[in-house]
Amino acid sequence: MDCIFCKIASGETEASIIYEDEDILAFKDLNPQAPTHILIIPKKHIESLSACSQEDSALLGNIQTAAAKIAKELNVSEAFRLVTNNGAKAGQSVKHLHYHLLAGRRMMWPPG
Ligand code: AMP
C-alpha cells in the first residue's frame, strides 16, 4: 500500500515528529495553514473516520486526549481547532485518518 502517512508511521519517510505513543503519531504539517499546524494520526492504517468501527472507539478517544496534551505542550491550549476532513469533497487529500490541530491565529467559522 502506498500511503504517505503509513510511511511516516513506520519511519520510512521523515517528518517533524512532536508526539508519539504506542498507537498514535503527531507531526508538523508540511504545508502549514496556521502558525501551529500539527497532524495527529493513528499508526494503523484507517482510511477515514467513516471507515472506523466501534472497536476504534478507544483509539479515537486517545487521539483527542493526545491532541489536548499536545496543545498544552505547545502552549496553545486556550484556543485551537481539531478537525478531520472526511472524504474528498470535504477536503481529504490523504486517505489515512488524520486530525489537523490548528492554532496561533484567529479561526473563522464556518470553515469554507
Ligand atoms: P487533508 O487535506 O485533510 O487530507 O490533509 C492532508 C495534510 O497532509 C495536508 O495539510 C498536507 O499539507 C499534509 N501532508 C501531506 N504530506 C505530508 C508529509 N509528507 N508530511 C507532513 N504533512 C503532509
Side-chain angles (χ1 to χ4, degrees):
M1 191 195 312
D2 194 28
C3 170
I4 184 65
F5 289 175
C6 282
K7 286 181 179 166
I8 290 173
S10 71
E12 190 184 332
T13 297
E14 271 189 36
S16 183
I17 292 168
I18 59 125
Y19 174 86
E20 180 168 16
D21 64 29
E22 205 181 326
D23 304 312
I24 295 166
L25 191 68
F27 51 92
K28 289 185 181 172
D29 195 293
L30 213 52
N31 183 23
Q33 301 301 312
T36 297
H37 188 171
I38 307 298
L39 297 174
I40 307 171
I41 67 165
K43 287 184 176 175
K44 79 165 182 175
H45 186 85
I46 304 174
E47 190 167 309
S48 66
L49 190 55
S50 283
C52 288
S53 61
Q54 192 67 36
E55 69 182 29
D56 297 310
S57 295
L59 175 64
L60 294 173
N62 289 342
I63 287 175
Q64 295 220 36
T65 49
K69 196 170 167 182
I70 292 163
K72 194 171 181 187
E73 276 167 15
L74 297 178
N75 290 314
V76 296
S77 284
E78 196 183 290
F80 66 90
R81 179 170 289 169
L82 187 67
V83 63
T84 188
N85 296 325
N86 188 94
K89 283 184 187 164
Q92 184 178 7
S93 61
V94 177
K95 288 184 176 178
H96 180 129
L97 177 64
H98 53 282
Y99 287 80
H100 298 259
L101 192 166
L102 297 145
R105 66 165 167 79
R106 187 154 199 93
M107 298 291 158
M108 301 303 163
W109 192 262

